[in-house]
Structures are given as C-alpha cells and as structure tokens.
Amino acid sequence: MAEEILEESEEQLGEQLIEMLQNKEYSKLRHTVADMNEADIAAIMDSMKDEDSLKMFRILPKNLAADVFPMLDVDDQKYIILSLSNTEASSIIDNLMADDATDLLEEMPANVVKKILSNASPETRADINHLLQYPDDSAGSIMTVEFVDLREDMTVQDAINRIREIGLDSETVNVCYVLDGKRVLKGTVALRYLLIMPMDALIGKIMNENVISVKTTTDQEDAAQVFQKYDFTVIPVVDNENRMVGIITIDDVVDILEEEATEDIEKMAAILPTDKPYLKMGILETYRKRIPWLLLLMVSATFTGAIIKSYENALASYVVLTAYIPMLMDTGGNAGSQASVSIIRGLSLQEIRFRDIFHVIWKEIRVACLCGVTLAGINFVKLLLIDGIDPVIAMIICGTLVCVVAFAKTIGAILPMVTDRIGFDPAVMASPLITTIVDAISLSVYFALATNILHIAV
C-alpha cells in the first residue's frame, strides 16, 4: 500500500514538473527540485521525453545535476552528453565520482566516449584510465579512488583538518584509511572515533589494525559477499602488495547484487543477459537475446522426439501410454528445476561448495524418494478410480514417476555444482536445459519399463 502511494505521488509530481516545463516556470521548477532527492529526480526524468529530460537537466543546480546524472538510464545519459556544450559536459564529468565516470564510459559508444574524455580534466581522465585497466566485473573496475587517507603520525586534529580539506571530493568520510609512505594499508579509523577522542591523540594509537580488504582482481560478486558477511558499508581495495588503491561502497554493492540477480534470472529463463530495462529494449534486440537459447533448446528437444519414434510399436499397442507422457515430462522438469534453483542459490550465497556434492546428492535422493512415492501413490489411486486404467499400466506409470523424480532431482543438484566447479555460471544449468535432459530420461525410463513389463517388441 505504501509503495502504491509512493508511486502515485511520484507520478503526480512528475506531471507537475512537466507542466512547469511546458509553462516555462523555470524558477519555480528549479526551486521545487532543489528539495527533492536525486534518485526521485532521475526516476521522473527517465519517464520524460528526451527533449524535456534535457531541459530539466539544464535547469538543475550544478551539484545536483552531477548527483542525478549517474542515476539516469544509459540512453538518457548518452542523449544528454551529446546535447551538452563542451563546457557543460566538462562540468558534469569532473563532478562525477571516478567509478561513476568509468561506468559511463563502459556503456557509451565511441563518439560519446571521445567527447567525455576530451572534456574531462587531466585528474579525472587519469582516474578513469586507471579504473579501465582492471578486468570487467572485478573489484578494481567498480571501486572509486576518492577516499580520505591519513598517516599514523597525525593527531586527531590533523585528521579532522584533512577531512575538511578533501572530504567533499571523497565518496565517504565515515571511514578513513591509514597509509604509510608507500601507501600500504595499515589501519582504519571511523569518523565517530575522531569525534570522541582527544584532539592530540595519535591516529596510530587509535586506529583499527585488523582491516578486512579485497584485491583489485577479486570478482565483484565475491566482494559483495564480503559486505554481506561482515555488514560493511565500505571496504578498501588493495593491490597485490597491499597498497590501497580505492574503496567500494554499499551503493555499488546494491547495484552488483541487482545486476547479478537479474543476470541469473535471465539465464535461468533461457535469455541472454542484458543490462537494459524491458521497455528500453527494441524488438530486434529482444529477439537477439532470446533466439539463441530457443534454437538450442529446440534442437535438443528433437532427441525426445527421436525417443518417442523409436518406441512406435509400444505406443501402437498401448495407445493409453501416450496420454501420460506430458504428465511424466512436466513432473520431471519441475522436480529438476526445484533442485537446481535451490543449489544455484546455495552456490551463489556460498552456502554450498563443491566438496559438499556427496552430501547434497544423498539429501536430494532421500527428498526425491519421499516426493516420488507421494506423487506415485496419489497418482495410482487417481489412475484406478478416475481414469479406469489397467492396474499393470498404472504401476508402469507410477513406477516411472518415482524414477523420473529421483533422476530429475539428482541431475538438478549435480549439474549446477559441476558447472560451477569448472568455472561456468551454474545458472545456465537451470530450468530450460535440465528440463530437456530430464525429458529424454523420462521417456527412456517410461518406455523401457513398458516394453519389458508388457513384453512389447520394439
């Protein structure tokens, strides 16, 4: 209910801002947005036409514009950058944090990148080039280089003066980092300690020396898990020699978790990952993201057709067997999907590791037996009382059901773990692919039982 009220008020406010733009009430508009949160402004601008969004951006106060810009949709950022004068573009880029400016470059086409770099200050350009050298999806690629650094021989008063000097240009001042002459990370000092400690206390005496950090080459998802484990809001990033090069803040981690979750969901739904919102993607782009997996799954599904064709005699002799093929295949696919999704989640949260594979298999086998027997028992009663099926055929169907659930859950557990072990994303082993594999196994087991028990020549 609260979300609906919030969305409604945001929509109403957006309509009011557009009306102010159309009526050229620019002073009133500027005064209204000055009291708004930058995330709300960005959400409203994303819903505007490009021309209105650009007008709105130009009306924003300089500092607010810099805060709003990284929150805009990529297409809106591209349009605004290309529409701004060199002076306006330079002002925006130089006011962005280095990590936001780097993210902007990675999303933009070459002509936009050229304009951004040509209008950035030498310091900003150096920071951007520094961050671009790190591998994609690494801690180094998402960190920012703006942080408060201190020395051990500083007093608390010196530290506070240092924060006042560079704090506005830093990503956060809540945690300060103590470095030696070679910029090796020695410790951290929280801002609250600086506020309560005597002004003449030495930083080296009050700093926390037990510092948890991540390497520049650490995968961004692993870095996010460090945040989750220790409840951090910021974490230092160091190189191989423990020299501090930047920090990652909690807002970056939220973006990472959303990005990784979206990517996993898309892979599990047999869609190539994309970083664009649904309504921002064109028809052809959406087609290109979906068709590869559909083609692969269509081709792989022909194996099930081949299996059915090879048992034509069995189907011709007992046509009733055909009616229960969809039920067996669907149940197997659903059972496999349940296991694979649970295992993929456990792997992503590091609750499960490859060394646990035998424990996982043993657990899934027991769960599969309970599920299979329950489903088979209920189905057997239904086949006899409602469908009026011959008891022997009902036993074949229910026996197949038990085997299918057992196979499906075991395969659904094993494949993601093996895939993760060899370095691939386990999400690709989710519903679509496992369902195809289980379908083939379901049919093979079904017809093998039928032909042997009913003595049908293949």
Side-chain angles (χ1 to χ4, degrees):
M1 187 67 176
E3 288 182 1
E4 291 178 2
I5 294 173
L6 188 62
E7 288 177 4
E8 186 177 341
S9 61
E10 184 180 288
E11 187 176 339
Q12 290 174 348
L13 184 56
E15 291 173 355
Q16 292 173 8
L17 295 179
I18 292 174
E19 187 177 342
M20 291 179 197
L21 271 177
Q22 292 173 344
N23 296 334
K24 299 183 179 180
E25 298 173 330
Y26 300 137
S27 297
K28 183 179 178 181
L29 177 60
R30 188 182 179 93
H31 182 267
T32 302
V33 297
D35 296 327
M36 291 176 59
N37 183 278
E38 55 267 20
D40 294 330
I41 298 173
I44 291 171
M45 288 178 61
D46 280 337
S47 65
M48 291 180 172
K49 295 179 181 178
D50 288 343
E51 298 80 5
D52 290 336
S53 180
L54 178 60
K55 286 180 185 177
M56 177 89 161
F57 189 79
R58 282 192 158 126
I59 290 169
L60 296 176
K62 178 180 173 182
N63 291 336
L64 182 58
D67 292 335
V68 169
F69 187 80
M71 298 184 178
L72 293 172
D73 181 77
V74 172
D75 290 336
D76 290 334
Q77 289 179 337
K78 175 183 172 183
Y79 180 80
I80 288 172
I81 283 291
L82 290 175
S83 302
L84 293 177
S85 66
N86 289 343
T87 303
E88 290 173 321
S90 176
S91 175
I92 293 300
I93 295 160
D94 287 340
N95 278 284
L96 291 176
M97 290 297 173
D99 58 334
D100 291 330
T102 305
D103 290 341
L104 175 63
L105 284 184
E106 291 176 340
E107 298 288 347
M108 295 296 165
N111 62 323
V112 181
V113 171
K114 183 178 179 180
K115 179 169 183 176
I116 291 172
L117 289 177
S118 63
N119 288 289
S121 67
E123 295 81 6
T124 301
R125 194 156 51 242
D127 289 340
I128 291 173
N129 289 331
H130 176 67
L131 294 177
L132 286 174
Q133 70 178 318
Y134 296 110
D136 291 341
D137 298 332
S138 67
S141 69
I142 61 169
M143 71 182 181
T144 183
V145 295
E146 293 101 345
F147 59 90
V148 178
D149 56 322
L150 307 174
R151 298 191 311 273
E152 292 181 74
D153 58 355
M154 282 183 170
T155 63
V156 170
Q157 182 63 63
D158 294 333
I160 292 175
N161 292 338
R162 175 71 172 163
I163 292 173
R164 287 172 177 165
E165 179 186 348
I166 66 172
L168 285 177
D169 295 325
S170 300
E171 182 84 7
T172 179
V173 298
N174 293 333
V175 180
C176 304
Y177 299 91
V178 185
L179 314 179
D180 66 10
K182 295 182 179 179
R183 300 194 66 77
V184 173
L185 180 60
K186 292 296 184 180
T188 61
V189 181
L191 179 61
R192 64 177 181 270
Y193 287 115
L194 296 178
L195 296 177
I196 63 177
M197 289 293 176
M199 290 293 109
D200 58 352
L202 288 175
I203 296 299
K205 297 293 185 181
I206 65 172
M207 70 180 184
N208 171 32
E209 297 183 57
N210 184 24
V211 183
I212 294 172
S213 61
V214 295
K215 301 283 189 183
T216 53
T217 53
T218 301
D219 186 86
Q220 63 176 16
E221 196 169 359
D222 294 334
Q225 288 167 353
V226 174
F227 272 82
Q228 186 177 33
K229 181 177 180 180
Y230 295 102
D231 291 330
F232 285 155
T233 57
V234 61
I235 194 170
V237 182
V238 298
D239 62 15
N240 291 329
E241 297 177 2
N242 204 41
R243 291 176 301 194
M244 186 167 173
V245 291
I247 60 173
I248 300 173
T249 51
I250 190 67
D251 59 314
D252 297 314
V253 171
V254 171
D255 292 339
I256 292 167
L257 294 176
E258 180 183 358
E259 177 187 325
E260 296 290 343
T262 301
E263 184 177 308
D264 286 346
I265 290 170
E266 288 174 330
K267 286 180 179 178
M268 291 165 69
I271 301 173
L272 295 179
T274 177
D275 54 2
K276 283 189 176 182
Y278 175 80
L279 293 177
K280 296 286 185 179
M281 288 180 62
I283 294 173
L284 288 178
E285 188 174 2
T286 304
Y287 158 79
R288 286 195 296 268
K289 294 295 182 182
R290 296 182 182 181
I291 196 62
W293 266 105
L294 288 176
L295 285 171
L296 176 62
L297 293 173
M298 181 190 71
V299 172
S300 63
T302 58
F303 291 112
T304 60
I307 294 171
I308 292 174
K309 186 176 180 181
S310 65
Y311 287 96
E312 285 180 340
N313 290 341
L315 293 175
S317 302
Y318 292 88
V319 179
V320 69
L321 294 173
T322 308
Y324 297 95
I325 290 176
M327 181 271 292
L328 292 171
M329 293 172 65
D330 289 347
T331 303
N334 292 336
S337 297
Q338 285 182 335
S340 66
V341 170
S342 298
I343 299 304
I344 290 168
R345 178 187 178 277
L347 290 169
S348 65
L349 296 177
Q350 294 190 338
E351 297 172 350
I352 301 172
R353 300 182 185 276
F354 186 76
R355 62 172 179 262
D356 302 316
I357 188 167
F358 294 110
H359 177 70
V360 169
I361 292 172
W362 177 230
K363 179 177 179 178
E364 288 297 332
I365 288 175
R366 287 178 290 172
V367 171
C369 289
L370 290 173
C371 291
V373 170
T374 302
L375 293 171
I378 294 172
N379 199 40
F380 187 76
V381 173
K382 183 251 185 188
L383 291 171
L384 293 180
L385 299 182
I386 298 177
D387 296 351
I389 299 296
D390 182 273
V392 175
I393 294 178
M395 288 178 62
I396 292 171
I397 295 169
C398 294
T400 303
L401 194 58
V402 174
C403 295
V404 164
V405 172
F407 276 121
K409 287 195 175 295
T410 305
I411 292 170
I414 292 174
L415 284 182
M417 297 187 75
V418 172
T419 305
D420 182 65
R421 178 66 174 180
I422 60 179
F424 293 104
D425 191 334
V428 300
M429 286 295 164
S431 303
L433 195 54
I434 286 180
T435 299
T436 303
I437 296 171
V438 170
D439 286 349
I441 293 174
S442 301
L443 290 174
S444 299
V445 172
Y446 187 35
F447 290 127
L449 285 175
T451 52
N452 282 283
I453 294 175
L454 298 174
H455 305 292
I456 303 171
V458 179

